[in-house]
Amino acid sequence: MIVIFRNIDEQDIDSMTKWLNKQGVSMQIFDNDGTIIGKLYGNIKAIDSRFLYEWKSVINVISTECNHALAGNSKGKRTVTVGNVTFGQEFVMIAGPCTIEQEQDLLTVARAVADSGAKVLRGGAYKPRTSPYSYQGLGSEGLAMLERAGKECGLMTVSEIPDAQLLSQFDHIDILQVGARNMQNYYLLKQLGKCNKPILLKRGLSSTVDEWLYSAEYIMSEGNCNVILCDRGIRMGDRCVVDIAQLYNSLEMTCLPIIVDPSHACGNSNLVLPLSRAVASLAIDGLMIEVNADCQKTLCDGVQSLSITQYQQLVTQVDTIRRVI
Amino acid sequence: MIVIFRNIDEQDIDSMTKWLNKQGVSMQIFDNDGTIIGKLYGNIKAIDSRFLYEWKSVINVISTECNHALAGNSKGKRTVTVGNVTFGQEFVMIAGPCTIEQEQDLLTVARAVADSGAKVLRGGAYKPRTSPYSYQGLGSEGLAMLERAGKECGLMTVSEIPDAQLLSQFDHIDILQVGARNMQNYYLLKQLGKCNKPILLKRGLSSTVDEWLYSAEYIMSEGNCNVILCDRGIRMGDRCVVDIAQLYNSLEMTCLPIIVDPSHACGNSNLVLPLSRAVASLAIDGLMIEVNADCQKTLCDGVQSLSITQYQQLVTQVDTIRRVI
Amino acid sequence: MIVIFRNIDEQDIDSMTKWLNKQGVSMQIFDNDGTIIGKLYGNIKAIDSRFLYEWKSVINVISTECNHALAGNSKGKRTVTVGNVTFGQEFVMIAGPCTIEQEQDLLTVARAVADSGAKVLRGGAYKPRTSPYSYQGLGSEGLAMLERAGKECGLMTVSEIPDAQLLSQFDHIDILQVGARNMQNYYLLKQLGKCNKPILLKRGLSSTVDEWLYSAEYIMSEGNCNVILCDRGIRMGDRCVVDIAQLYNSLEMTCLPIIVDPSHACGNSNLVLPLSRAVASLAIDGLMIEVNADCQKTLCDGVQSLSITQYQQLVTQVDTIRRVI
Amino acid sequence: MIVIFRNIDEQDIDSMTKWLNKQGVSMQIFDNDGTIIGKLYGNIKAIDSRFLYEWKSVINVISTECNHALAGNSKGKRTVTVGNVTFGQEFVMIAGPCTIEQEQDLLTVARAVADSGAKVLRGGAYKPRTSPYSYQGLGSEGLAMLERAGKECGLMTVSEIPDAQLLSQFDHIDILQVGARNMQNYYLLKQLGKCNKPILLKRGLSSTVDEWLYSAEYIMSEGNCNVILCDRGIRMGDRCVVDIAQLYNSLEMTCLPIIVDPSHACGNSNLVLPLSRAVASLAIDGLMIEVNADCQKTLCDGVQSLSITQYQQLVTQVDTIRRVI
């Protein structure tokens, strides 16, 4: 950590030095032709850098330490393998209904997306809904349907887990999803860090990339390094936006695979296809797409779901884009 | 629910009517001199209004139903009483350290804020920190300190609960706080709705007022109507902003008391005083202020904490403002 | 215009009717099973719809009139032809330096981008800079250089005009650019609406699509319908974001060609290529790219400029994407 | 300017040094126990600091130079005197209709606000409207009415000037207003910097404080230092927000007086009073309030205008707040 000063006097240096020492940190000062620079040593983690600005002569504090020891990119890319799928090595399509409602419909979708090359079946059993009066999902019954459909069609499965107390219900689900609203539910993250399943970590609605990687770090620092990141856009006024440039940067900032969920990012089925094409032109690791057997009948989020035919078009177009890049 | 059409033909009306009927909803159409208006009856809750825009002739859908049955303002203001304090009836000052660290310091702050008229002592025992490597709090030991300090100084107590599994540890804490990051942790909200303690519900970092009230609705619909709302600003780029006009509107939209946390809203002790003055000029129900015995020594968020002396100035200024409005 | 009421009484209807009548508007009321709907006739343009909410029984006001009479999409797509280029018919590459500095460098870039298929040469002579102390451009001398380089390489030319008083200096420039900061400089827009040159209208940094089209409407309503829209991202915190989904929607909302300027949208040369690929996967009408002969020597915005080699890579990749969509 | 490096090698230092030298800048390197710091001397203004990040070993660049030579706060507060009013010394109320429509109404408002202690009469003659089809104002005829009303009631006058070509029409107006949409119309700012009238500079809808002060700097660097800043909120999604904490900071960052326009900041008359109270609790230099003789009849922005009675209430409440702070 480095501190840049303007117009500092001896008294200021003394008072800051004493304060730092109390916290196990020492400061070496050097004057470079009028600009005073302080370098800090010791228990740097104890220092909240914003504090140093309390001394009016401080004009800048620069952290020279790396923040994301495990989720950062310092040691190259990681892969996450689940069954016959390896995120970070192949481009993975995850598809399925927003919410599991009827076993027959789920099977219809599962067969269709498996035929189109999807490797993972998604489906919500516990649905986080803004209103307590909205449909909340089938719970454990839905998870059982998802497991059966996955087995029947040779697909891995992913479903959102809203609380660690429900972990045992997810025994036969392959990937556990942390929803955007729970991205900073650190208690849940730590519990998931102690299990041995891959975690799909969605980005929070207004989270920075830094915060997102820290949430991955919560899981990884408990021992579970099988984390897949999923960008679903961030809130901008009354809509969500996938920031292409920031997504591109994120790919360079982390060792973890990153996939994109265009269905929730745009909230409208008409936009899922163009947005999928656009993000597929970057080197992302996969897509997660909502597909329903009967979009207009569905009880939850149907407005952004694709029909099976639309999904097949999407796969074709995304494949074409990916082949040329 | 009302639907406004432009240039609709018989075929469109037919297809929409069939779709609605499948979901238990009927539509009555009337043509008012060229503008076609449809009114929906029946199982309206089943309809995702965004879906109706799939028919290109639909130009607007208006919900005429009330959304927040319990947290809304249709039946006048509620009060929340805990011990000798009644939120919604008196202006309540909540004060105390961000994080509980040393019992002696906590007591020093508790005595000082009690002397200045605070009614509730705050203190974090389980701290939600962006990084897993940051100080995470004393846990149950901290809660015990908080309880003792509250008793000794005649103050009610409030502390953040990060997960419902920890509920038994909070037996002797008077008010349970739901943090901003957990505002949409619906599993936690439902569990808290089943306990009989007042809940302090912070607004999420990018939540709309509508979503905030729905989160209150999650608690209230489980039977616990003792909810106090706490605005702590919303994220705008790299800072947080308390939107004065929206806060003023919120006061009219809900039956619940609303307090403001200026310490987290501005993240800098220099700004806590002016921001407190500004919000106190509205008819809010209280303030929650971070106060530390030794701001610069604290391990967490000290940069936004006031010293005891600064807190006393704040109380004086806020009182003066409140007396004249 | 349609008004939806809740719990209205005769007195309210009377008072609103009187107020409307004063402004030349009449209201026909019909009660549809408890929901009261008012339809307005007459001089609707005189009514600020927000006003109607002053009557507490009003829950919604819907405009059924079309707002962008000229820039909207009601009559299909328009093309804008300048010399041998037709925007809206072919995909147009505009390229060149941010700022014109040295004639030799400009010529080098012009030849290279012409060889790579660009049709229009860009170059700033009057530069809008945040600070008055930053380099402000060569002015009329720069315009003369641009004209000569365009002629020599068979390229059309485009440059930003900051004020209508400078119009005569742009006599030999083919396309006049309105910068993002001037998007709502209505006095300038009206003057440009009276000239007979194509106008490249950049989107303002925080403008809605609605406001952007209204600015086009200012130009078109004065008689000049040769407007090309240019999206350059909108501000989100401390960075700019091209909202892919909104851009896709914009293409359907207007009759005008839309191109994208990824250089200013991302402000960093590393991001120009991935962002160009992403937007090229939509049906946009062209790209405007900053290219410098010597990026690191340039006095203005060089950090986001591509080298000639990078530009050639971009053209190849964008062509590949465009061929498959 | 100071540059902090990580893992730099000799080759990197060489290449950066050469590049800097080309632009008249030299760099002195010193190694402080592994952290390499470079200090730049010479023609610093030529360097775009973002460029230095192109060298991958650069982790931070810090500007140690002051940016706003004239509008900054290095030399203490300035006052701006016009007639018998001194901004920056007394709290100044500016009031009047959004748009000048009828002389009689203007006079009614002018007399009322003068009686309530206002010192400056506002009124729009050239109105910047989002749509070209909205009412655009009375132009020079409106300015003449404003002049007469000001004289009759002993009030100074302020009105928005949309373009420098209209300057002669404003000969008898005391203060020239630059609208939010024109805040970065640098051509206009420079022309106003050459005239000798006070300028009221509104903050742009999404401008940073830094950009706002640079726009003041454009006026001041041409010789006119009589600039009054006016905050009118910044855009956040579909509404405007006055950021109290940032406003408080702005007051410390500039030597110029800052007033607030709550009418445009909240866009609704119900919110003008609470917002005025809130900002009056800070040490701002005045308020600008829209007041209409007949709010519901007005052709432009009436929805946010106060009636004369509401204005008088506002003055009383603001005075009360100001007396106690």
Side-chain angles (χ1 to χ4, degrees), chain B residues 14-190:
Chain B
D14 272 8
S15 98
M16 188 187 274
T17 302
K18 273 181 199 152
W19 179 74
L20 288 167
N21 291 348
K22 270 204 287 187
Q23 308 186 53
V25 173
S26 64
M27 174 164 65
Q28 185 184 341
I29 287 286
F30 42 104
D31 177 343
N32 179 31
D33 197 28
T35 303
I36 307 290
I37 295 169
K39 183 152 185 238
L40 308 192
Y41 297 88
N43 182 25
I44 300 294
K45 277 186 185 167
I47 305 292
D48 182 334
S49 66
R50 296 171 300 168
F51 240 141
L52 300 171
Y53 291 98
E54 298 277 311
W55 281 268
K56 290 293 182 196
S57 51
V58 172
I59 58 172
N60 226 300
V61 180
I62 303 126
S63 175
T64 52
E65 290 77 30
C66 178
N67 295 318
H68 307 109
L70 301 168
N73 70 344
S74 57
K75 293 174 197 151
K77 282 282 169 189
R78 297 183 69 95
T79 57
V80 176
T81 299
V82 46
N84 60 341
V85 191
T86 301
F87 287 87
Q89 191 171 286
E90 56 193 306
F91 187 86
V92 182
M93 291 297 294
I94 304 177
C98 178
T99 310
I100 299 161
E101 291 171 23
Q102 295 204 332
E103 187 143 18
Q104 200 47 56
D105 286 351
L106 178 62
L107 268 169
T108 306
V109 170
R111 280 186 203 116
V113 302
D115 284 352
S116 298
K119 291 288 180 69
V120 185
L121 180 65
R122 60 151 291 150
Y126 290 96
K127 295 302 302 173
R129 305 298 304 275
T130 303
S131 162
Y133 310 123
S134 297
Y135 178 66
Q136 308 270 326
L138 289 175
S140 57
E141 187 191 348
L143 294 174
M145 289 182 191
L146 184 65
E147 183 196 347
R148 288 194 292 268
K151 282 228 174 90
E152 170 143 351
C153 304
L155 294 166
M156 296 291 112
T157 52
V158 59
S159 197
E160 177 167 351
I161 180 164
D163 192 272
Q165 288 191 60
L166 300 172
L167 254 173
S168 63
Q169 293 189 13
F170 286 75
D171 272 354
H172 301 289
I173 301 301
D174 300 303
I175 304 172
L176 306 182
Q177 178 179 318
V178 176
R181 294 172 177 89
N182 268 333
M183 191 201 87
Q184 295 190 310
N185 178 348
Y186 300 127
Y187 201 88
L188 174 61
L189 298 180
K190 284 191 221 173

Side-chain angles (χ1 to χ4, degrees), chain D residues 182-318:
Chain D
N182 267 334
M183 191 202 88
Q184 294 190 311
N185 179 348
Y186 299 128
Y187 201 88
L188 174 61
L189 298 179
K190 282 190 222 174
Q191 298 299 107
L192 296 180
K194 286 169 189 147
C195 81
N196 60 358
K197 291 203 173 175
I199 309 298
L200 184 77
L201 178 65
K202 287 209 158 184
R203 180 175 179 184
L205 267 169
S206 67
S207 298
T208 63
V209 174
D210 194 58
E211 289 166 346
W212 192 20
L213 296 187
Y214 268 131
S215 287
E217 199 84 13
Y218 261 97
I219 301 169
M220 297 169 86
S221 62
E222 295 288 337
N224 183 356
C225 287
N226 291 314
V227 178
I228 303 150
L229 299 172
C230 179
D231 198 345
R232 40 87 71 243
I234 47 175
R235 190 169 272 192
M236 189 174 182
D238 58 354
R239 59 189 199 281
C240 268
V241 178
V242 173
D243 181 346
I244 296 286
Q246 198 183 54
L247 175 59
Y248 181 84
N249 276 335
S250 305
L251 290 163
E252 299 210 336
M253 287 169 68
T254 182
C255 62
L256 300 171
I258 302 185
I259 68 168
V260 176
D261 170 356
S263 304
H264 285 88
C266 54
N268 187 303
S269 61
N270 294 326
L271 299 170
V272 173
L273 214 162
L275 186 53
S276 296
R277 283 205 310 252
V279 296
S281 72
L282 311 174
I284 59 169
D285 296 298
L287 287 170
M288 179 155 75
I289 308 286
E290 279 188 22
V291 183
N292 271 334
D294 179 353
C295 294
Q296 296 187 332
K297 207 180 61 195
T298 188
L299 298 172
C300 172
D301 276 356
V303 75
Q304 72 212 14
S305 284
L306 301 189
S307 67
I308 288 170
T309 314
Q310 288 171 317
Y311 176 73
Q312 288 159 343
Q313 286 173 342
L314 181 146
V315 169
T316 308
Q317 295 195 14
V318 164

Side-chain angles (χ1 to χ4, degrees), chain C residues 213-228:
Chain C
L213 296 187
Y214 268 131
S215 287
E217 199 83 14
Y218 262 97
I219 300 169
M220 297 169 86
S221 62
E222 296 288 336
N224 182 356
C225 287
N226 292 314
V227 178
I228 303 149

Side-chain angles (χ1 to χ4, degrees), chain B residues 6 30 32 35 39 64, chain C residues 2 6 30 32 35 39 64:
Chain B
R6 181 157 45 199
F30 42 104
N32 179 31
T35 303
K39 183 152 185 238
T64 52
Chain C
I2 284 170
R6 182 157 45 199
F30 42 105
N32 179 31
T35 304
K39 186 155 183 235
T64 52

Side-chain angles (χ1 to χ4, degrees), chain C residues 38 144 280-281:
Chain C
S281 73

Side-chain angles (χ1 to χ4, degrees), chain C residues 68-232:
Chain C
H68 306 109
L70 301 168
N73 71 344
S74 58
K75 292 175 197 150
K77 283 281 170 188
R78 298 183 70 94
T79 57
V80 176
T81 299
V82 45
N84 60 341
V85 192
T86 302
F87 288 87
Q89 189 172 286
E90 56 193 306
F91 187 85
V92 182
M93 291 298 293
I94 305 177
C98 177
T99 310
I100 299 161
E101 291 171 23
Q102 294 205 332
E103 186 144 21
Q104 200 47 54
D105 286 351
L106 178 64
L107 268 169
T108 307
V109 170
R111 280 187 202 114
V113 301
D115 284 353
S116 298
K119 291 289 180 67
V120 185
L121 179 66
R122 60 152 291 150
Y126 290 95
K127 296 301 303 174
R129 305 299 303 276
T130 303
S131 162
Y133 310 122
S134 298
Y135 178 65
Q136 308 271 325
L138 288 176
S140 58
E141 187 191 347
L143 293 174
M145 290 183 190
L146 183 66
E147 183 197 347
R148 288 193 293 266
K151 282 228 176 89
E152 170 142 351
C153 304
L155 294 166
M156 296 290 112
T157 51
V158 60
S159 196
E160 177 167 351
I161 180 165
D163 191 273
Q165 289 191 59
L166 301 171
L167 254 172
S168 63
Q169 293 189 15
F170 286 75
D171 271 355
H172 302 288
I173 301 300
D174 301 303
I175 305 173
L176 306 182
Q177 178 179 317
V178 176
R181 296 172 177 87
N182 268 333
M183 192 202 86
Q184 293 190 311
N185 178 348
Y186 299 128
Y187 200 88
L188 173 61
L189 298 179
K190 283 190 221 173
Q191 297 298 108
L192 295 180
K194 287 170 188 148
C195 81
N196 60 357
K197 290 202 171 176
I199 309 297
L200 185 77
L201 178 65
K202 287 209 159 184
R203 181 176 177 181
L205 268 170
S206 66
S207 298
T208 63
V209 173
D210 194 58
E211 290 166 344
W212 192 20
L213 296 187
Y214 268 131
S215 287
E217 199 83 14
Y218 262 97
I219 300 169
M220 297 169 86
S221 62
E222 296 288 336
N224 182 356
C225 287
N226 292 314
V227 178
I228 303 149
L229 299 172
C230 179
D231 198 346
R232 40 85 74 241

